[in-house]
Amino acid sequence: MLIPVLIGTTLIVYCIMDLTPGDPARMILAETKTSEENIEKMRESLGLNDPLLVRYVRYITNLLKGDWGISYKNRISVLAQIKEKLPNTMLLAFSGMVVAIIIGIPIGIIAAKKQYTLFDNVSMIGALIGTSAPAFWLGLLLVITFSLKLKWLPPAGMGQGFVMKLKSLILPALTIGTGTAAIITRMTRSSMLETMRQDYIDTARAKGIKESLVTTGHMLKNALIPIVTVVGLQFGSLLGGSVMTENVFSWPGLGRFVVESIKTKDVPCVLGSVVALCILFSIVNLCVDILYAFVDPRIKSQYKTSRRKHI
Amino acid sequence: MKTKKEILKVNNLKKFFNTPQGMLHAVDDISFTLSEGETLGVVGESGCGKSTMGRAILRLHEPDSGEVIYKGEDILKYSSKQMKKLRTEMQMIFQDPFSSLNPRMTVSQSILEPLLIQGIYKKEDKRSLRIKVKEIMNLVGLADRLVNTYPHELDGGRRQRIGIARALVLNPKLIICDEPVSALDVSIQAQVLNLMQDLQEQLGLTYIFITHDLSVVKHLSSDIVVMYLGQLVEKAPAEKLFANPLHPYTKALLSAIAVPDPDFKADRILLEGELTSPINPKPGCRFAKRCLYAKEECYGNNAGLVEVEKDHFVACCLIDGFINQEKGVKQKQ
Amino acid sequence: MSNNEFVNKGATKNSGEGRTLWEEIRRRFKKNKFAVVSMYFLIFLIALAIVTIVIDIVDNSNIYNNYVIKQNLKDKLREPEFGNPSMIFGCDEFGRSILFRMIWGTRYSLFIGLIAVTVSLITGGLIGSIAGYYGGKIDNTIMRFMDILLAIPYMLLAIAIVSALGPSLINLLISIAIPKIPSYARIVRASVMSIKDLEFIEAGKSAGASDIRTIFKYILPNAMAPVIVQATLGVADAIISISALSYLGLGVQPPLPEWGAMLSAAKTYIRDAWHITVIPGLGIMFTILALNIFGDGLRDALDPKLQH
Amino acid sequence: MKDLLLIKDLVIHFETDDGIVEAVNNITLGIKEGQTLGLVGETGAGKTTLAKGIMRLIHKPTGKIKDGEILYKDKDLLKLTEKEMREIRGKHISMIFQDPMTSLNPVMTVGEQIGEVIKAHNRISKKGIEKRTCEMLETVGIPSGRAIEYPHQFSGGMKQRVIIAIALACEPNLLIADEPTTALDVTIQAQVLEMMKSLKTEFNTSMLLITHDLGVVAQNCDFVAIIYAGEIVEYGELRDIFKNPKHPYTIGLFGSIPNLNDNVKRLKPIDGLMPDPMSLPKGCKFNDRCKFAMDICKEKNPEMVLLNNGHKVKCFLMQNNI
């Protein structure tokens, strides 16, 4: 499943970027103010005059060979820059997901078990606000309160050394995690409520086993299946969210790098970053599929059928 | 006895579905004839292909091969235009009162929809439509005031009457009923069965009545056909079939009925094992694996329907053995 | 021999005769107070946006020019004062009253959001219903293509499109609408597939109904419920995306008073003037909160099986 | 014969925001030791609510047990704490639910689901639980090797056997079966009912068999109770009810089922519809559909009248001609 998706995504992005106005050769030679035919020679050397598809195929073959092209702006190899920035984005995205899971799943479960109580209403209102507040605005608010007013945490950038790095990670992780936590809370609650209505819960209770066993063994195990699907899906929007969060906190990740290179029409960088992010996203989807097989025995037994049909 | 005029003849009807695990033989080489004004009961357990057969005859599921002769012509060869015209002669009543009615349409809209599709009436001529609806609703025992109600406001029994009204509005000759009363409670079931019998006498309808409930089928049908895993195993008039079932599966089926009489002690023939899968079935009799009398030759050839007595057909290669054995028993008594 | 001796016997359901489906839905919707309040808030916002457009046409936007655009640096970063009406929200970095800019800014978020959702809903809906109804190979190819579009994180796709086409309003609309098409296609497809096997569709076919009539007269009206709910939540998504793009400087360009753009300008003055960051953000949040609550209320009203 | 379980004036209502659903309206019913009581009624008559009431599994906020007692071995189950009730469930009284397709936990192996109830009620080693689980699987006719498989790998009939194994694992005194074979095919239904009958005698359990199928009652029950709109309208021994039913509703039920032996051409159905539990008629609940309805029926709700050998009927017709 991975290969066609990757080819598809890179082709789409390549065509979109191709529509960008402005001539790359002119940009590279902008500072040197050389004559027209030098620019023409540069266009030839970069092979810009070939038809779109030929250029795309050449780009893909280079990509597979490890040559991800050179940035128009600073002439550094795109792959090197990605290798340096991707780990930061992954760190941010994973810490955001951890925050979301730690907050989202427990609150969702308790809210479902204690339906119609104060806890349930409060957590649902909180979840609603969490989904409604734009992530980047939330980031700004956190910066104002925790960095400027209380001065506990650095407002931006990534600190050096383990402690500083951790301290500088807290606010961005919270920003990116809150929205996802809200969605996971609501999803966990509705999935738990749905499971609580099933017949096998009555069968379990009719056995006279402890309520805690009914909750863990029967409710949680079944409610987990749709939750895993949502977590997998949410990871995609988390990567998208990293673009905004990295911009607010000027976190040296791939998301910020993509926005900068798009603004400066630096096509190879954009392409490289998008490819990297899509690979990351597809790998995560693969892991979710494998996790799926552990959670739901019905999937394990007919694994040869196409990917999960549940979404 | 009025001479029976043949209205429908089905020859070697086949309908397969390809599933990821292999070819599902839902309807496998089925042939029977149906005479006008009669009710043919189609009985079988779930998964034996009886619903698929009903839909295949009306080409709701396009059959793979075979012939369906109606008024001398094979309707499987009909073009879509001819097929649309034929819809006014053959209709269907469905099982689930909750999913057989469009929740967005009122009672009158649901009943009149076939007329609008066939273009018999236009949307504009409201007056004639209103008269038609009242007439049909009265026929199936629905109160006039229900004209503008929605399905979600009505109980199962009334919804089933709307389904029947919708099937009658084009005044068809033949109606295929797919388990029309299985989803209803006992008292409502009796009301709908009586209604269907009245309509048959009033309008001279011919029914193909598909059900898994043996007591309902005995009550209503003149001829009965027993299906097992896509094949016909026995066909006979209702009294004959219940009085003297010949095919081992029919015997087991009839002995399994819970008779509502405490003193009736059935000599139970309890079938072992489960229904075998209809996917990529091996040749030979499909009941052999569960049959108590199965012999080696049963796995060999696929015995077709053989007329063993007057109008009594059985598909079992050991049938002659049974009959002689039976005759022997009768002489001894 | 008419059989009406069965007629008029026994009690009908107590919910009364002739209660159409829409009355039923409205009755259930009314019970959710929050949803009703957010519905009125949304109507208020839309009215506000329309009023500002009418005012601009009537007095050929002189209020717009000297209150919303004109810069008077003496009021730079003026704190909010609750006494003076136009200064309730204070002023931004060019001394322009934030209250006026917020009011004139509603049209950008709301209308672009609504149009973007309608565009992606119609295209996605069409693709989804075709894939759902015909199934088999058509369904597979369409869904594989949708999977590819979904594999690219939504925000990246939006940014790529808008930077390729340039930051005009139309391009902003396209860049938000296109990435959302797959999710609508998927919802409509799931809804169509669940309805297409119901028996009343077969009943229609057995009366001779054509494919087109089946899709548009039987399936789509019943498939609308989940789609409408998703559309309201979709407008909320679109508004967040517009303000995010404007925040990155790729969306609505200054001096137009779009809420996201106001936030983007505010981030440089974050140290000394908190109000120019907080207030536009609150505007966005309350709009989206109202849309989410309204969407939830609609889903509970439309989804009959939720009754206890 | 002593009553193993005695229900006295039980009332159960569901308070929904559309109105109050009067599911069970002061039912008095006794289940005799070692006997099978058939509870017959149509959809919405309150059969399942009564069963869940006995097990105290009524879904909270909306469901409420308003009044009445359930005496089991002279203990009122409604007064027990949740912990004490848990000891009863599965050990003394166990229950089988209607749809085998949804009554088993899809993500737990069949062996675990049987072992769970054994572990909850007796302190024995893991080995002991496994042995008992395999024993139970064999008694219900499933090869014990399949204990590690998941429910989706079993057919409808096999799933119902697993559910019966779960219910009988701790040898309860009373087994409540809520329409155990309705979702199954005729031949499978016969197999399962036959097995339940033999297990009942083997473990000497008494049984409450809930069904709408009079045939299943005739072949499996010793006593019969007819329930209509949340009330028991007739109770008696199997032959009394089948041979001379007294209550108009019971007579109507027998008239509605096509009989296999004599080929009657037209059924004699009961007119009208089931009453809506949210707006039950005044007086006798059956008065609007009853052919013999008198004025008094519309005013007052009749008392249970005792005829000969325990045959009880709730109808005014019976009152004056004893």
Side-chain angles (χ1 to χ4, degrees):
Chain A
M1 254 318 272
L2 194 60
I3 313 302
V5 168
L6 270 182
I7 292 170
T9 37
T10 42
L11 183 63
I12 291 172
V13 175
Y14 196 88
C15 303
I16 296 174
M17 292 318 290
D18 196 66
L19 297 172
T20 347
D23 172 4
R26 196 175 306 285
M27 263 193 298
I28 298 169
L29 305 171
E31 303 81 21
T32 56
K33 291 189 204 42
T34 58
S35 61
E36 263 314 298
E37 76 323 315
N38 278 12
I39 293 171
E40 197 40 45
K41 258 211 277 34
M42 172 60 86
R43 282 181 67 80
E44 255 326 294
S45 70
L46 286 171
L48 290 175
N49 299 336
D50 306 339
L52 174 71
L53 266 183
V54 169
R55 276 186 282 127
Y56 170 70
V57 168
R58 190 188 312 127
Y59 175 74
I60 285 293
T61 38
N62 295 348
L63 200 77
L64 295 178
K65 285 208 287 287
D67 159 19
W68 285 42
I70 300 153
S71 145
Y72 292 152
K73 256 296 148 264
N74 47 32
R75 314 296 298 151
I76 306 165
S77 134
V78 171
L79 195 56
Q81 293 184 52
I82 288 178
K83 277 214 183 79
E84 178 214 324
K85 295 186 190 308
L86 186 61
N88 301 341
T89 299
M90 283 170 68
L91 174 67
L92 181 59
F94 276 111
S95 44
M97 187 49 90
V98 163
V99 163
I101 290 175
I102 289 174
I103 298 175
I105 295 186
I107 294 183
I109 292 168
I110 298 167
K113 284 293 279 180
K114 290 190 169 48
Q115 207 179 6
Y116 308 120
T117 58
L118 186 64
F119 180 90
D120 180 20
N121 297 337
V122 165
S123 55
M124 277 311 111
I125 293 165
L128 253 179
I129 293 170
T131 42
S132 312
F136 61 94
W137 177 61
L138 203 64
L140 290 176
L141 290 189
L142 290 174
V143 165
I144 294 174
T145 38
F146 289 101
S147 310
L148 306 182
K149 291 279 189 296
L150 300 170
K151 301 235 182 325
W152 288 348
L153 296 167
M158 188 165 82
Q160 300 316 327
F162 182 73
V163 171
M164 277 309 291
K165 199 171 192 179
L166 200 62
K167 272 180 90 176
S168 62
L169 177 64
I170 292 171
L171 286 187
L174 262 179
T175 311
I176 201 169
T178 318
T180 318
I183 292 167
I184 290 183
T185 310
R186 281 164 60 128
M187 182 60 213
T188 312
R189 177 174 178 274
S190 69
S191 162
M192 276 293 283
L193 288 180
E194 184 61 31
T195 314
M196 282 157 85
R197 277 202 294 267
Q198 298 296 331
D199 290 348
Y200 51 79
I201 299 297
D202 284 342
T203 316
R205 288 214 177 98
K207 294 182 195 174
I209 54 176
K210 283 202 287 299
E211 188 57 23
S212 56
L213 266 177
V214 172
T215 312
T216 49
H218 294 268
M219 283 186 203
L220 261 180
K221 261 186 161 183
N222 281 285
L224 215 54
I225 300 166
I227 295 171
V228 165
T229 320
V230 164
V231 167
L233 264 176
Q234 276 309 315
F235 202 86
S237 62
L238 242 168
L239 288 179
S242 67
V243 170
M244 300 307 302
T245 319
E246 284 170 14
N247 206 281
V248 170
F249 290 91
S250 48
W251 181 264
L254 213 52
R256 187 155 155 259
F257 179 66
V258 168
V259 174
E260 257 43 4
S261 38
I262 285 181
K263 277 191 184 156
T264 57
K265 306 281 189 295
D266 196 337
V267 174
C269 290
V270 172
L271 276 176
S273 323
V274 166
V275 165
L277 285 173
C278 289
I279 293 174
L280 180 64
F281 185 49
S282 307
I283 292 168
V284 163
N285 281 344
L286 219 57
C287 301
V288 167
D289 276 358
I290 296 160
L291 189 63
Y292 222 71
F294 288 111
V295 166
D296 186 348
R298 287 164 290 198
I299 302 295
K300 195 160 45 182
S301 62
Q302 12 101 346
Y303 200 76
K304 49 192 178 325
T305 51
S306 67
R307 242 157 45 115
R308 59 192 185 277
K309 295 193 191 58
H310 295 276
I311 346 172
Chain B
M1 259 276 280
K2 59 178 170 53
T3 61
K4 281 197 208 160
K5 198 159 81 51
E6 192 185 90
I7 184 172
L8 185 79
K9 191 170 189 330
V10 173
N11 296 338
N12 325 87
L13 191 68
K14 284 201 174 82
K15 173 64 191 170
F16 300 156
F17 295 100
N18 44 40
T19 59
Q21 291 84 15
M23 190 61 92
L24 170 67
H25 292 237
V27 173
D28 198 347
D29 186 10
I30 281 189
S31 316
F32 62 85
T33 55
L34 183 59
S35 21
E36 193 149 9
E38 299 276 320
T39 300
L40 174 69
V42 178
V43 165
E45 295 185 298
S46 40
C48 72
K50 48 190 191 298
S51 292
T52 317
M53 182 189 72
R55 285 169 167 78
I57 293 174
L58 283 179
R59 291 181 66 181
L60 291 178
H61 288 319
E62 207 51 50
D64 297 330
S65 70
E67 284 170 348
V68 176
I69 317 280
Y70 177 73
K71 284 186 179 158
E73 284 171 9
D74 179 5
I75 64 171
L76 299 189
K77 308 263 186 311
Y78 272 12
S79 70
S80 61
K81 224 162 65 45
Q82 280 169 313
M83 209 47 215
K84 183 168 181 183
K85 210 182 110 345
L86 182 74
R87 296 294 175 196
T88 58
E89 313 231 355
M90 299 160 87
Q91 270 302 316
M92 190 156 188
I93 299 176
F94 294 87
Q95 168 176 4
D96 176 5
F98 293 96
S99 77
S100 62
L101 293 177
N102 185 336
R104 286 268 182 287
M105 278 188 181
T106 64
V107 168
S108 56
Q109 282 166 339
S110 289
I111 295 175
L112 293 175
E113 183 67 9
L115 292 173
L116 301 176
I117 296 173
Q118 294 288 340
I120 298 166
Y121 288 97
K122 291 286 165 297
K123 257 213 290 300
E124 298 71 32
D125 36 32
K126 294 253 181 306
R127 234 180 53 69
S128 40
L129 282 175
R130 216 176 300 116
I131 299 163
K132 186 73 181 169
V133 155
K134 284 242 169 11
E135 177 204 311
I136 296 276
M137 281 175 73
N138 194 285
L139 187 63
V140 294
L142 281 170
D144 297 350
R145 56 182 161 70
L146 298 179
V147 168
N148 297 327
T149 51
Y150 278 81
H152 68 272
E153 299 176 68
L154 301 171
D155 68 293
R158 283 225 182 94
R159 289 175 189 226
Q160 214 55 4
R161 291 168 193 269
I162 299 168
I164 295 172
R166 174 178 56 194
L168 291 178
V169 82
L170 294 171
N171 42 56
K173 301 280 178 299
L174 167 69
I175 299 185
I176 297 182
C177 324
D178 184 6
E179 308 244 14
V181 289
S182 311
L184 302 178
D185 270 304
V186 175
S187 54
I188 308 294
Q189 195 175 78
Q191 289 173 17
V192 174
L193 286 177
N194 281 358
L195 171 65
M196 288 177 72
Q197 271 176 310
D198 299 341
L199 294 172
Q200 183 168 40
E201 277 142 29
Q202 264 178 269
L203 309 169
L205 298 172
T206 314
Y207 287 141
I208 294 183
F209 194 93
I210 299 171
T211 181
H212 63 278
D213 186 334
L214 287 145
S215 40
V216 166
V217 90
K218 174 174 189 296
H219 171 72
L220 207 62
S221 28
S222 39
D223 270 334
I224 294 179
V225 153
V226 181
M227 272 181 81
Y228 186 80
L229 278 184
Q231 288 174 332
L232 292 194
V233 292
E234 190 157 359
K235 175 178 191 299
E239 301 75 24
K240 264 201 181 149
L241 190 85
F242 277 83
N244 159 27
L246 291 174
H247 193 280
Y249 175 65
T250 316
K251 281 197 188 123
L253 205 57
L254 297 189
S255 76
I257 306 171
V259 173
D261 171 4
D263 304 331
F264 179 89
K265 277 292 158 275
D267 42 12
R268 274 286 151 72
I269 311 170
L270 277 187
L271 287 180
E272 274 73 33
E274 296 284 316
L275 217 57
T276 48
S277 146
I279 295 174
N280 306 345
K282 290 186 268 319
C285 168
R286 291 188 183 162
F287 183 57
K289 209 150 93 49
R290 296 174 76 193
C291 179
L292 311 176
Y293 316 93
K295 290 208 178 44
E296 203 279 331
E297 68 228 51
C298 292
Y299 295 93
N301 51 45
N302 210 330
L305 268 177
V306 167
E307 182 158 17
V308 176
E309 284 161 12
K310 177 93 180 56
D311 295 338
H312 195 145
F313 302 79
V314 186
C316 169
C317 39
L318 308 174
I319 191 61
D320 309 331
F322 289 143
I323 293 189
N324 312 345
Q325 192 192 28
E326 212 108 284
K327 280 207 186 64
V329 163
K330 279 206 187 68
Q331 267 114 24
K332 268 201 239 78
Q333 271 152 358
Chain C
M1 189 194 79
S2 83
N3 345 58
N4 49 22
E5 73 269 18
F6 309 111
V7 172
N8 301 340
K9 267 275 177 54
T12 59
K13 275 245 180 309
N14 68 346
S15 56
E17 277 343 304
R19 160 147 316 168
T20 64
L21 218 52
W22 295 114
E23 282 156 17
E24 186 76 23
I25 292 168
R26 205 176 306 123
R27 187 177 61 83
R28 278 204 296 266
F29 185 79
K30 280 266 179 310
K31 276 203 282 247
N32 180 339
K33 291 290 165 285
F34 289 109
V36 174
V37 165
S38 13
M39 187 175 67
Y40 287 130
F41 178 73
L42 290 174
I43 294 170
F44 164 70
L45 278 184
I46 295 170
L48 208 63
I50 295 169
V51 159
T52 54
I53 294 173
V54 165
I55 294 172
D56 282 354
I57 301 163
V58 163
D59 69 1
N60 51 51
S61 58
N62 60 20
I63 295 183
Y64 176 76
N65 291 340
N66 45 39
Y67 277 98
V68 178
I69 305 293
K70 195 153 78 53
Q71 302 173 353
N72 32 38
L73 293 174
K74 66 176 175 40
D75 289 340
K76 189 169 197 270
L77 297 179
R78 192 162 155 198
E79 292 291 328
E81 296 151 29
F82 293 104
N84 171 342
S86 78
M87 282 306 139
I88 293 177
F89 289 157
C91 295
D92 65 4
E93 67 284 9
F94 297 112
R96 296 173 295 202
S97 149
I98 293 184
L99 174 67
F100 276 92
R101 286 183 67 80
M102 290 279 284
I103 294 171
W104 255 262
T106 42
R107 69 177 79 161
Y108 296 110
S109 337
L110 267 184
F111 287 164
I112 294 182
L114 283 170
I115 298 165
V117 164
T118 348
V119 166
S120 42
L121 182 65
I122 290 168
T123 23
L126 218 60
I127 299 170
S129 44
I130 291 166
Y133 186 70
Y134 289 104
K137 279 193 215 48
I138 307 170
D139 179 22
N140 267 337
T141 38
I142 292 180
M143 276 306 130
R144 285 297 75 70
F145 183 65
M146 290 297 141
D147 283 351
I148 292 169
L149 264 181
L150 271 176
I152 309 167
Y154 169 73
M155 191 50 81
L156 274 183
L157 199 55
I159 294 168
I161 297 173
V162 83
S163 62
L165 305 176
S168 76
L169 286 187
I170 309 295
N171 300 345
L172 188 59
L173 196 65
I174 297 165
S175 70
I176 289 173
I178 290 181
K180 270 296 172 195
I181 289 176
S183 43
Y184 285 109
R186 201 170 272 198
I187 290 160
V188 170
R189 171 178 174 271
S191 174
V192 163
M193 280 177 94
S194 68
I195 290 167
K196 130 177 114 125
D197 301 330
L198 291 181
E199 284 179 347
F200 72 85
I201 302 291
E202 278 186 310
K205 279 218 187 84
S206 77
S210 65
D211 276 358
I212 295 118
R213 186 184 188 93
T214 307
I215 294 181
F216 289 100
K217 196 169 181 219
Y218 305 149
I219 292 184
L220 284 186
N222 285 295
M224 270 309 124
V227 175
I228 294 169
V229 171
Q230 202 52 37
T232 40
L233 307 179
V235 174
D237 258 357
I239 292 176
I240 292 189
S241 319
I242 300 164
S243 37
L245 287 174
S246 315
Y247 178 81
L248 293 175
L250 297 166
V252 179
Q253 298 307 314
L256 298 181
E258 201 276 338
W259 295 344
M262 290 163 74
L263 276 178
S264 153
K267 67 174 186 281
T268 40
Y269 299 91
I270 200 163
R271 289 192 192 294
D272 25 44
W274 59 271
H275 67 279
I276 51 173
T277 309
V278 169
I279 291 171
L282 280 178
I284 300 174
M285 193 190 84
F286 278 118
T287 316
I288 291 158
L289 197 61
L291 277 165
N292 279 333
I293 297 175
F294 176 65
D296 282 357
L298 215 54
R299 182 187 35 240
D300 295 346
L302 289 171
D303 182 357
K305 68 177 180 341
L306 271 191
Q307 281 135 351
H308 295 293
Chain D
M1 272 179 280
K2 201 166 72 46
D3 276 344
L4 178 70
L5 186 95
L6 183 59
I7 303 165
K8 278 202 196 132
D9 307 320
L10 186 65
V11 176
I12 302 178
H13 291 167
F14 289 92
E15 276 130 18
T16 68
D17 36 28
D18 298 338
I20 296 179
V21 177
E22 297 162 28
V24 169
N25 307 318
N26 48 57
I27 281 185
T28 304
L29 192 62
I31 302 172
K32 305 238 181 318
E33 202 143 350
Q35 300 293 320
T36 300
L37 168 64
L39 183 62
V40 182
E42 295 183 297
T43 323
K47 317 191 285 286
T48 306
T49 312
L50 178 62
K52 285 191 172 173
I54 297 172
M55 296 288 281
R56 275 185 43 200
L57 285 174
I58 301 286
H59 284 295
K60 282 290 162 292
T62 55
K64 287 205 176 37
I65 300 184
K66 287 274 189 211
D67 189 359
E69 290 169 340
I70 302 179
L71 301 176
Y72 170 73
K73 288 185 178 157
D74 320 324
K75 275 188 303 208
D76 182 359
L77 297 183
L78 301 182
K79 302 279 188 302
L80 296 183
T81 64
E82 189 49 33
K83 194 171 171 314
E84 285 160 344
M85 191 60 203
R86 264 209 302 275
E87 269 135 37
I88 300 279
R89 289 193 201 117
K91 182 91 184 69
H92 296 273
I93 307 176
S94 57
M95 185 162 174
I96 302 176
F97 292 89
Q98 172 170 0
D99 187 356
M101 292 304 168
T102 58
S103 296
L104 283 175
N105 182 350
V107 292
M108 217 180 190
T109 67
V110 162
E112 274 165 13
Q113 299 194 45
I114 297 176
E116 212 180 14
V117 69
I118 300 168
K119 184 153 167 285
H121 290 293
N122 359 44
R123 251 164 293 308
I124 50 177
S125 68
K126 207 165 171 333
K127 247 316 82 309
I129 293 173
E130 244 153 61
K131 196 168 73 56
R132 181 76 181 123
T133 307
C134 294
E135 252 168 55
M136 276 319 288
L137 278 175
E138 295 296 343
T139 31
V140 291
I142 298 176
S144 56
R146 298 192 65 178
I148 49 159
E149 286 180 21
Y150 286 91
H152 68 277
Q153 293 162 297
F154 290 83
S155 72
M158 298 299 253
K159 279 191 192 137
Q160 196 63 319
R161 289 165 186 267
V162 169
I163 291 166
I164 291 166
I166 294 174
L168 298 179
C170 299
E171 294 176 18
N173 302 337
L174 171 63
L175 173 64
I176 301 176
D178 184 1
E179 310 228 19
T181 57
T182 308
L184 303 178
D185 273 310
V186 175
T187 46
I188 313 287
Q189 167 174 301
Q191 282 173 14
V192 171
L193 285 174
E194 208 57 38
M195 183 189 72
M196 280 173 77
K197 226 195 251 181
S198 58
L199 289 177
K200 186 175 100 66
T201 37
E202 188 188 331
F203 294 103
N204 185 16
T205 34
S206 11
M207 187 150 76
L208 172 63
L209 179 59
I210 298 172
T211 178
H212 63 276
D213 184 336
L214 285 165
V216 169
V217 171
Q219 303 300 327
N220 295 287
C221 299
D222 308 312
F223 291 86
V224 181
I226 314 281
I227 184 169
Y228 181 80
E231 286 171 359
I232 303 288
V233 292
E234 189 157 2
Y235 171 84
E237 267 186 35
L238 188 65
R239 254 160 213 74
D240 281 344
I241 298 290
F242 273 78
K243 290 294 173 248
N244 67 63
K246 284 280 186 277
H247 194 280
Y249 177 63
T250 319
I251 298 165
L253 273 186
F254 281 110
S256 304
I257 43 167
N259 200 309
L260 275 180
N261 302 353
D262 50 63
N263 35 43
V264 92
K265 256 304 144 231
R266 295 271 290 141
L267 297 172
K268 298 186 288 307
I270 312 164
D271 302 332
L273 310 161
M274 264 75 68
D276 176 10
M278 278 204 243
S279 63
L280 290 175
K282 210 157 75 55
C284 167
K285 305 284 180 300
F286 188 54
N287 72 55
D288 54 358
R289 300 174 73 187
C290 179
K291 290 193 175 56
F292 315 96
M294 302 173 283
D295 301 343
I296 185 168
C297 302
K298 295 198 169 34
E299 295 317 319
K300 291 223 311 322
N301 199 344
E303 289 302 321
M304 263 304 210
V305 172
L306 180 59
L307 307 176
N308 41 36
N309 86 37
H311 186 177
K312 295 186 205 137
V313 187
K314 189 183 175 77
C315 175
F316 286 117
L317 289 174
M318 300 305 133
Q319 229 128 18
N320 37 38
N321 65 13
I322 302 166

